[in-house]
Amino acid sequence: MMHAHSWWQTGVIYQVYPRSFLDSNRDGIGDLPGIISKLDYLRWLGVDAIWLSPIYPSPMADFGYDISNYTAIHPLFGTLEDLDSLLHQAHQRNLKLILDFVPNHTSDEHPWFQESRSNRSNEKRDWYIWRDPAPDGGPPNNWTSRFGGSAWHFDEQSEQYYLHLFDVKQPDLNWRNLKVRQAMYDILRFWLDRGVDGFRIDVLWMLLKDEQFRDNPMNPDWKPGDPPSARQVGLYTGDLPDMHALAREMRAIVDRYGERVLIGELYLPLTSLIQYYGEQLDEAHLPFNFQLVTMPTWGASTIRQVVDAYEAALPRGAWPNWVLGNHDRPRIATRVGREQARTAQMLLLTLRGTPTCYYGDELGMQNVAIPPALMHDPPGKQDPQHSRDPQRTPMQWDTSPNAGFCPPEVQPWLPVASDYHTYNVAVEQQETHSFLTLVRALLTLRRSSPALSVGSQRSLDQPNPACFVYLRQHGRQRYVVALNFSAHEQVVSLPEQGQGRLLLSTHLDHEGPMALGEMHLRGNEGLLIWLFPFESQMI
Ligand code: NOJ
């Protein structure tokens, strides 16, 4: 049965934030040669695909999500030859490479925008979204930037406003213009021809905007302290019905190249999210499922509800996926604490569907408090509470100064966590109970077991509200996963009185025969149990 699945279904994706992975040229910023030198680590860890956040030329107003040339490499990160070499060396190790595609906006320093801005009759004027001022001279409507303030910027020279749903240096492209689409599709083909295995598409749901430019409604639930981006409901700036035709166009391009993957970044409610699989499963292969990242409370019953609702909502044939962290959200070990984060990893790596792991989460890395003077992130500079810098700090490789991310005499672009002496690859590789040892063991078990990598998923009823228990099954192979979301000991009783074998505890300190009728879980403990094939099929 395994052969029926693609690599992006059976595999595990690992997100590398290139600035922070490994600095090979002593400038305090990570780069492509740095990533190449760590491919063996990623193979050892047991992931299957690397997704790179943007590595293209960029003025870095939004750390690479403001692109000034889509078909080259920023000198900070290396050269096109380095990218080719990364691809080649990754493929040699059976690792796939996924690039970040940022179609909603370019940098204001992109030649297209420079032309567009130069005068109103320029051939590329309509490549971006220009509008006359409102009658009072103010912005054309109430749309806000997700980084705060109006989404409109007045251009003195051509006396019109341009739209930027993110930073003022990130003007939005006009995806209703066919030439824009063609130019962007050429970029996809450029990288596919070079051999990349797919794309993660930045803010896929936002590419089209209301043609009448109607005001967005305000969010009645917004309260001070919430992110500025949540103040409005993006009714007219996202998830417009004609978006699906665009997603289908992108998919058709990628499909011509065989087994490549399209992953859509989509922060949408479940019913809207799953539309991006496409009616004929002809849009994104994996509309990113961020429910474990966005849920307001982390607990057994909420997670069971989320898992069950997602499984029930998935269109026939659609492949699930799960995300625990990324460069935009606080790290899991900070959100739920390091002890519970071990159980969170067991959840991520035993649920049905492709997991995406964020670099450093395999070590239990936490957010690092960044003093305001050292902040880089544009929204963070406006509102330090919502800075994304704390989750983007250098990867912790060893106990040497700067955690082995860059040489001792070099200042890393963001400070290294102060606890890096304990939490780093070299130390954790040696420790039998470390976070890294746990994540690697989970990845090894997942890879070697059809039930865990492609099997069915079913939540199991049991009376303890602090625990979430589920079954993964493929043919006669069955596993039970029992997760304790509380810090206290819990007992889980399954109706089946049968026997299984404990393969892995998140505490990494015991294994062996296990009676399912009464399982004792210590605080924050997760258990992975293999059920003897000859035991009853009651559960
Ligand atoms: C989503 C990216 O993940 C984020 O980092 C970026 O700031 C915005 N899109 C704008 O490109």
Side-chain angles (χ1 to χ4, degrees):
M1 288 297 277
M2 291 285 280
H3 63 271
H5 292 89
S6 292
W7 63 267
W8 52 268
Q9 296 176 305
T10 52
V12 175
I13 300 170
Y14 183 96
Q15 180 188 357
V16 168
Y17 194 68
R19 286 184 80 85
S20 300
F21 207 54
L22 187 81
D23 170 21
S24 76
N25 65 348
R26 315 167 83 85
D27 61 0
I29 295 175
D31 44 53
L32 295 178
I35 298 168
I36 293 173
S37 70
K38 292 298 182 185
L39 289 176
D40 285 334
Y41 164 71
L42 295 176
R43 200 60 272 190
W44 170 86
L45 180 61
V47 297
D48 303 276
I50 306 166
W51 150 35
L52 289 187
S53 284
I55 32 86
Y56 319 102
S58 159
M60 295 288 170
D62 186 18
F63 295 96
Y65 285 95
D66 49 318
I67 298 171
S68 52
N69 180 352
Y70 284 83
T71 53
I73 304 295
H74 196 303
L76 271 177
F77 297 126
T79 61
L80 211 43
E81 289 68 45
D82 291 328
L83 195 277
D84 285 341
S85 161
L86 171 58
L87 244 182
H88 179 69
Q89 302 212 40
H91 285 169
Q92 275 188 329
R93 291 166 176 81
N94 212 8
L95 284 165
K96 306 284 184 184
L97 189 70
I98 299 166
L99 294 187
D100 216 310
F101 179 54
V102 187
N104 180 66
H105 42 265
T106 68
S107 161
D108 64 341
E109 296 180 30
H110 194 293
W112 297 342
F113 188 71
Q114 310 261 294
E115 276 191 54
S116 181
R117 182 178 224 172
S118 63
N119 66 69
R120 289 192 188 196
S121 52
N122 184 278
E123 186 256 316
K124 290 207 168 52
R125 184 66 170 182
D126 185 52
W127 281 40
Y128 293 83
I129 300 175
W130 292 97
R131 303 292 285 173
D132 286 331
D136 66 358
N141 66 19
N142 79 343
W143 295 353
T144 50
S145 152
R146 294 178 70 90
F147 290 170
S150 171
W152 296 98
H153 182 78
F154 189 64
D155 179 52
E156 302 281 348
Q157 195 193 319
S158 62
E159 296 187 320
Q160 277 190 314
Y161 282 88
Y162 70 82
L163 180 71
H164 62 91
L165 291 179
F166 292 89
D167 194 75
V168 65
K169 283 181 69 63
Q170 292 169 296
D172 282 47
L173 282 162
N174 176 14
W175 271 81
R176 297 191 188 276
N177 182 316
L178 289 183
K179 290 192 173 146
V180 167
R181 291 191 201 182
Q182 284 318 323
M184 295 310 277
Y185 297 158
D186 283 346
I187 292 162
L188 289 178
R189 286 186 277 259
F190 174 88
W191 292 110
L192 290 164
D193 286 337
R194 278 197 118 77
V196 308
D197 300 290
F199 302 95
R200 171 268 192 191
I201 310 175
D202 193 65
V203 294
L204 176 60
W205 81 106
M206 293 171 79
L207 304 194
L208 292 175
K209 287 86 187 175
D210 182 41
E211 283 186 284
Q212 297 170 51
F213 290 88
R214 282 170 282 189
D215 277 351
N216 271 331
M218 301 309 283
N219 176 1
D221 300 327
W222 188 88
K223 40 186 192 334
D226 287 350
S229 56
R231 201 161 192 155
Q232 274 183 3
V233 182
L235 185 64
Y236 296 116
T237 44
D239 195 26
L240 298 193
D242 36 358
M243 245 328 292
H244 295 282
L246 286 188
R248 281 195 296 275
E249 286 182 5
M250 293 184 201
R251 173 63 178 267
I253 291 169
V254 169
D255 274 351
R256 286 210 195 100
Y257 288 81
E259 272 198 306
R260 317 276 174 119
V261 71
L262 275 189
I263 306 172
E265 187 204 21
L266 297 152
Y267 283 96
L268 290 174
L270 183 57
T271 42
S272 318
L273 174 72
I274 57 164
Q275 306 297 324
Y276 284 83
Y277 282 106
E279 271 176 33
Q280 309 294 324
L281 299 185
D282 50 0
E283 298 184 28
H285 298 89
L286 301 174
F288 255 150
N289 167 19
F290 292 124
Q291 294 181 95
L292 295 179
V293 176
T294 52
M295 58 177 42
T297 51
W298 182 264
S301 61
T302 337
I303 291 179
R304 176 177 176 164
Q305 263 168 31
V306 159
V307 171
D308 288 353
Y310 183 61
E311 282 283 339
L314 282 174
R316 210 183 152 78
W319 189 256
N321 77 91
W322 296 96
V323 181
L324 213 47
N326 61 33
H327 62 296
D328 293 326
R329 301 286 167 150
R331 284 189 182 270
I332 183 69
T334 295
R335 282 189 279 132
V336 305
R338 253 191 198 118
E339 293 311 312
Q340 179 61 210
R342 296 172 78 105
T343 293
Q345 290 294 338
M346 183 173 268
L347 175 74
L348 174 73
L349 298 173
T350 59
L351 280 174
R352 186 174 89 94
T354 307
T356 299
C357 309
Y358 185 49
Y359 86 93
D361 278 359
E362 75 272 26
L363 305 174
M365 269 177 70
Q366 289 186 316
N367 276 18
V368 176
I370 313 282
L374 296 181
M375 288 243 177
H376 291 272
D377 188 28
K381 281 187 187 164
Q382 299 194 20
D383 173 5
Q385 229 201 316
H386 293 110
S387 173
R388 298 168 298 177
D389 291 330
Q391 58 263 30
R392 298 176 175 179
T393 60
M395 176 71 174
Q396 296 156 206
W397 294 107
D398 56 37
T399 54
S400 68
N402 295 327
F405 164 74
C406 61
E409 65 281 7
V410 171
Q411 185 169 0
W413 79 285
L414 280 176
V416 176
S418 54
D419 58 6
Y420 80 87
H421 283 276
T422 313
Y423 299 98
N424 66 69
V425 173
V427 164
E428 292 192 43
Q429 277 180 327
Q430 301 308 317
E431 284 176 355
T432 47
H433 297 79
S434 70
F435 210 104
L436 181 59
T437 301
L438 169 66
V439 170
R440 183 164 181 252
L442 283 164
L443 286 165
T444 307
L445 281 165
R446 184 184 177 94
R447 199 175 39 250
S448 60
S449 141
L452 291 179
S453 55
V454 299
S456 63
Q457 159 106 30
R458 184 156 60 83
S459 301
L460 298 179
D461 292 327
Q462 53 78 34
N464 189 328
C467 297
F468 175 35
V469 186
Y470 50 94
L471 179 75
R472 299 293 316 277
Q473 174 160 13
H474 186 264
R476 296 187 67 198
Q477 188 182 59
R478 294 182 302 158
Y479 290 87
V480 165
V481 181
L483 306 173
N484 180 359
F485 286 82
S486 80
H488 309 288
E489 182 175 329
Q490 303 289 339
V491 179
V492 164
S493 314
L494 289 181
E496 180 177 36
Q497 298 295 307
Q499 284 282 319
R501 183 176 179 82
L502 175 65
L503 297 183
L504 192 68
S505 151
T506 50
H507 290 29
L508 295 171
D509 58 357
H510 68 137
E511 46 190 65
M514 175 135 253
L516 299 174
E518 189 178 299
M519 297 187 282
H520 289 259
L521 279 78
R522 287 164 287 173
N524 294 308
E525 188 175 24
L527 303 178
L528 175 61
I529 301 143
W530 173 62
L531 297 191
F532 297 149
F534 47 83
E535 290 292 336
S536 102
Q537 299 278 329
M538 270 174 60
I539 58 169

